[in-house]
Amino acid sequence: MAKLIIDEKEVEVPDSYTLLQACEEAGAEVPRFCFHERLSIAGNCRMCLVEVKGGPPKPQASCALGVRDLRPGPNGEPPVVSTKSPMVKKARQGVMEFLLINHPLDCPICDQGGECDLQDQAMAYGIDKNRYGENKRAVEDKYIGPLVRTKMTRCIHCTRCVRYTTEVAGISELGLIGRGEDAEITTYLEQAMSSEMQGNVIDLCPVGALTSRPYQDTARPWELTKTETVDVMDAVGSNIRVDTRSKEVMRILPIQNDAVNEEWISDKTRFIFDGLKSQRLDQPYVRKAGKLQPASWGEALDAVAKAVNATRPHKVGAIAGDLASVEDIFALKKFMTGIGSANMDCREPGSVLDPAKGRASYLFNSGIEGIEQADAIMLVGTNPRKEAAVLNSRIRKRWRQGDLLVGLVGEAADMTYEYTHLGEGPESLKQFASYGKIKKKNPMFIIGQGALNRSDSAAVLKMVASAAESMGALRSDWNGFNILHTAAGRVGGLDLGFVPGRSGKDTAAMMGGMDVLFLMGADELDMAKVKGTVIYVGSHGDAGAHRADIILPAAAYSEKPGIWVNTEGRVQHGNRANFAPGDAKEEWAIFRALSAKCGKVLPFDSFEQLRSALYREFPHMAQAGTVAPGDIGDVKALAKGGAGKVLKAGFESPVHDFYMTNPIARASRVMAQCSQLAAGELRQAAE
């Protein structure tokens, strides 16, 4: 530890701290533009200048000076630092004056206006005049894709965007060229960026040089209502803030949560908002004479009740989709139980994940933060860059720290870190497992849905569990067996036991063997195989709605409160940011009304009563932000169970197009542009 006197206040901080961090520990406010806690130190902007007594007779850049480098006083006194001296004040005013020499000062038309670091710090540390009367320089704007808009004349060369794309996103597509007055940030070849997390440069940019292209010129921050909720575009469960104006979602921003997404979100999470108002289902429909016709809620519910009551219970099934909240799945389960059917499932066809085998058998047991403790990672049938971009950035973060081995069994892919490709299928995994124990302290296995949605998934799961046990990945202090889910509602559904009951049918069997089939937002199925009368309960006119015989319009994730459990088993509570369009209702309310029509009334009349019933049956759902860990013995039991033979076919990731994985994404014009751009780049590379 190091002792310092900062603004006449003595503090003790770790030796690894920079002087800027020490000043913040002492409660001093130090301005900065280029410094960021999650990026390397550049020392470009010089705004964080402080005075070090006994040091050189000039202000020091506190972000680039370590506390261990400070000299004590003549008699061993702690170093003395001032953040408010006349020297510091004058130096900061000079730095701000330099920064504004070429800045266009176009705040009234800048999207960053109202939440701009340059505005705030110019007010706090600048002066009301400028001694420079020469012409300002101008820099040509760059096209870097359909997501990020550039106004490079505003750029102050802090290089946050360059360091982020290189260090976190791992694409190395932005850089600074030229020197002095000719310096500028560019993509070198002026091509669109290819990262799935490029939108984070918008939040990092301290000025208006990089702003959101889809959001441009639409709203000011003080016009927006801000709601904290949970993302459902993947199973990571990133914490987000949804900004709305009236009934419309205007933008989506990240909320810092070091245990989940740090302060990053994927581009799909950030730019999905236009899909929330396109292709929406806003009234019920009933198929008559082969065509879907608009209907009232009474007519639609009567038609559903008639179909259900006329069908034997074992011929009625229900499949919960990828985006379903815990409350909605709970209500659907109670409805199906009430009519006497055990045909229910929340898993993709072929998946053998089962809550009866214990919670540890289907969780990311190490936790997302646990990735930073791993020293060997084996990816099995997964491409984290496409399936969970934010989680993939954690793997890259750990890889950049060094001493990490990454192996892959499955499709070879362009990852953001180096890895060893061991093969494509179970045979390669079997050979690896036969090696026995490896000389690593915390080995980690990450099993993707590409290895689980197969007819031999039980054998694959057993093989991975056996390898994890033999290689020391299953200990009392470390559980390295991890399932990486791709659906936000999957773990919640498994926690509730929304799987086939005794003599019940799973997803694959229900698609062709039911007389009446409920699809609650289940659009990722082969609809050509779905038979019988289909009742679709969902928010968008996607594949399920096209196949449906009766459509009951529902609310999207931003339009309802709800609980989602992420891939590591963390319970997170989301909030309503806006209201569903037209006559659309929340799913739980639809099944409550339908239960009354079917004569099997559910035991709750309000959302509060539903939550109370949920908490009584599943107490861990009330513990927001916490993870109820699984029993490591459940994973060891997987390794001992019988499972059959494995196939020779290679593992294939279920996510082929990152931007088109759910109905909301497919309704988004911005995501369509990104998908077309990615496909075009792939064709060019192939040629």
Side-chain angles (χ1 to χ4, degrees):
M1 301 291 283
K3 287 186 178 181
L4 296 88
I5 298 176
I6 301 175
D7 293 336
E8 301 180 354
K9 178 181 179 181
E10 184 172 314
V11 295
E12 190 172 1
V13 298
D15 290 337
S16 59
Y17 269 31
T18 64
L19 186 52
L20 187 149
Q21 292 172 310
C23 290
E24 289 187 332
E25 192 76 15
E29 183 178 330
V30 180
R32 84 292 299 270
F33 289 114
C34 69
F35 178 80
H36 192 276
E37 290 80 1
R38 302 191 194 278
L39 303 177
S40 61
I41 294 171
N44 290 341
C45 70
R46 319 307 286 181
M47 196 65 200
C48 63
L49 296 173
V50 297
E51 181 180 1
V52 180
K53 302 294 177 65
K58 62 177 183 180
Q60 303 283 311
S62 60
C63 72
L65 185 63
V67 295
R68 64 164 64 94
D69 298 324
L70 298 179
R71 292 184 298 178
N75 299 315
E77 303 95 338
V80 178
V81 179
S82 175
T83 67
K84 302 176 182 178
S85 68
M87 176 198 286
V88 172
K89 181 179 179 182
K90 184 177 180 180
R92 290 175 180 170
Q93 288 177 344
V95 170
M96 182 59 67
E97 194 173 358
F98 271 116
L99 288 174
L100 296 178
I101 287 175
N102 288 312
H103 197 79
L105 305 179
D106 55 351
C107 302
I109 62 167
C110 177
D111 274 340
Q112 199 83 344
E115 47 191 12
C116 174
D117 291 351
L118 188 63
Q119 282 183 327
D120 296 340
Q121 295 187 37
M123 284 290 294
Y125 304 104
I127 54 178
D128 60 353
K129 57 186 176 181
N130 194 327
R131 291 172 287 176
Y132 293 86
E134 293 81 3
N135 293 331
K136 294 178 179 287
R137 80 162 189 163
V139 181
E140 184 179 352
D141 294 338
K142 311 293 189 302
Y143 177 78
I144 59 176
L147 303 180
V148 182
R149 179 196 189 197
T150 63
K151 285 291 181 182
M152 302 313 294
T153 301
R154 301 170 184 160
C155 180
I156 62 171
H157 301 154
C158 69
T159 69
R160 277 187 182 181
C161 57
V162 177
R163 285 174 283 147
Y164 168 79
T165 54
T166 303
E167 298 167 11
V168 180
I171 57 172
S172 300
E173 290 178 347
L174 278 180
L176 187 143
I177 62 172
R179 299 180 67 185
E181 188 176 340
D182 296 325
E184 57 183 275
I185 303 291
T186 180
T187 56
Y188 300 115
L189 301 178
E190 298 193 13
Q191 293 181 345
M193 290 195 291
S194 60
S195 172
E196 296 79 17
M197 296 181 62
Q198 61 183 275
N200 291 299
V201 299
I202 297 168
D203 300 329
L204 288 172
C205 185
V207 295
L210 302 175
T211 54
S212 171
R213 189 178 291 275
Y215 173 71
Q216 73 179 58
D217 306 327
T218 58
R220 286 298 194 184
W222 53 84
E223 302 174 337
L224 304 176
T225 301
K226 303 168 179 63
T227 307
E228 296 185 1
T229 186
V230 182
D231 171 55
V232 299
M233 293 299 109
D234 54 33
V236 174
S238 299
N239 289 203
I240 58 173
R241 193 186 85 193
V242 177
D243 289 357
T244 57
R245 184 174 61 188
S246 184
K247 295 182 179 180
E248 186 176 356
V249 175
M250 303 303 294
R251 65 177 180 179
I252 296 173
L253 299 175
I255 294 176
Q256 181 172 334
N257 185 334
D258 289 342
V260 182
N261 59 306
E262 296 184 299
E263 58 190 83
W264 319 124
I265 54 175
S266 71
D267 293 339
K268 189 163 51 177
T269 299
R270 183 184 298 271
F271 297 106
I272 202 74
F273 56 85
D274 67 316
L276 290 168
K277 53 189 176 185
S278 300
Q279 300 182 19
R280 290 303 302 269
L281 299 173
D282 58 0
Q283 68 180 89
Y285 289 85
V286 176
R287 191 176 294 276
K288 299 177 182 177
K291 292 185 178 181
L292 288 170
Q293 304 290 342
S296 67
W297 269 106
E299 292 171 341
L301 292 176
D302 285 340
V304 176
K306 181 179 178 182
V308 171
N309 291 333
T311 306
R312 290 172 296 175
H314 71 276
K315 283 292 185 178
V316 180
I319 301 175
D322 292 354
L323 311 184
S325 70
V326 168
E327 291 90 347
D328 297 331
I329 297 175
F330 183 74
L332 178 55
K333 181 182 179 183
K334 291 298 183 185
F335 172 78
M336 294 298 292
T337 303
I339 64 174
S341 174
N343 303 318
M344 60 186 85
D345 207 351
C346 64
R347 307 164 300 178
E348 296 181 51
S351 177
V352 294
L353 299 177
D354 190 345
K357 298 177 181 177
R359 203 165 188 248
S361 68
Y362 59 84
L363 290 186
F364 199 97
N365 293 290
S366 304
I368 297 174
E369 268 191 310
I371 292 173
E372 299 183 27
Q373 302 173 26
D375 47 17
I377 298 177
M378 174 58 69
L379 305 174
V380 181
T382 182
N383 179 356
R385 181 173 178 180
K386 301 294 185 184
E387 298 172 24
V390 174
L391 184 144
N392 186 68
S393 72
R394 287 271 192 170
I395 300 178
R396 174 171 172 80
K397 178 181 179 181
R398 174 63 187 88
W399 173 78
R400 290 188 71 248
Q401 295 170 2
D403 191 30
L404 175 69
L405 295 177
V406 182
L408 170 65
V409 176
E411 290 180 289
D414 181 16
M415 302 290 192
T416 58
Y417 38 82
E418 295 177 358
Y419 66 90
T420 301
H421 189 211
L422 301 178
E424 296 189 353
E427 289 297 325
S428 302
L429 179 60
K430 186 176 181 180
Q431 291 177 9
F432 172 76
S434 66
Y435 292 151
K437 191 174 180 64
I438 59 175
K439 297 179 180 179
K440 290 292 182 179
K441 181 182 178 182
N442 293 329
M444 174 184 289
F445 289 80
I446 300 179
I447 307 99
Q449 301 305 302
L452 297 177
N453 299 327
R454 301 158 48 105
S455 59
D456 64 344
S457 56
V460 172
L461 207 58
K462 175 187 176 181
M463 191 184 301
V464 177
S466 299
E469 185 174 20
S470 64
M471 296 183 184
L474 303 179
R475 309 190 307 266
S476 59
D477 61 335
W478 177 255
N479 187 343
F481 180 87
N482 301 291
I483 304 294
L484 178 57
H485 293 274
T486 56
R490 187 72 42 76
V491 175
L494 291 171
D495 277 356
L496 298 185
F498 196 83
V499 293
R502 181 177 297 178
S503 72
K505 298 185 182 298
D506 62 10
T507 297
M510 280 190 282
M511 288 167 63
M514 295 291 106
D515 291 342
V516 176
L517 181 62
F518 287 91
L519 299 179
M520 188 171 70
D523 294 274
E524 316 307 319
L525 304 173
D526 185 355
M527 294 300 167
K529 297 180 179 179
V530 176
K531 308 299 180 185
T533 300
V534 176
I535 296 100
Y536 180 76
V537 183
S539 60
H540 284 71
D542 204 71
H546 286 287
R547 172 59 186 84
D549 298 292
I550 303 171
I551 296 176
L552 305 178
Y557 75 100
S558 66
E559 299 159 357
K560 60 186 178 184
I563 297 172
W564 284 272
V565 186
N566 75 350
T567 190
E568 61 182 342
R570 187 179 303 275
V571 176
Q572 300 190 107
H573 291 207
N575 299 302
R576 177 190 286 116
N578 60 330
F579 289 90
D583 291 332
K585 311 292 183 184
E586 295 175 29
E587 285 94 329
W588 72 267
I590 294 173
F591 289 110
R592 169 60 180 82
L594 184 57
S595 69
K597 291 282 186 179
C598 293
K600 306 290 184 181
V601 183
L602 294 178
F604 44 80
D605 297 320
S606 66
F607 186 74
E608 289 71 23
Q609 292 178 1
L610 166 61
R611 277 233 171 133
S612 296
L614 173 68
Y615 293 162
R616 284 195 299 271
E617 198 166 336
F618 303 95
H620 73 281
M621 291 296 178
Q623 307 300 317
T626 63
V627 178
D631 184 355
I632 201 168
D634 296 334
V635 183
K636 293 181 178 180
L638 282 179
K640 294 180 174 61
K645 295 182 178 180
V646 295
L647 303 177
K648 292 184 178 181
F651 300 130
E652 186 176 346
S653 171
V655 179
H656 300 290
D657 189 342
F658 170 77
Y659 302 101
M660 295 285 161
T661 56
N662 59 65
I664 304 175
R666 289 188 284 269
S668 168
R669 180 179 299 178
V670 176
M671 293 296 100
Q673 292 175 346
C674 293
S675 177
Q676 292 168 3
L677 179 63
E681 290 178 349
L682 289 173
R683 283 197 298 270
Q684 291 173 7
E687 293 172 0

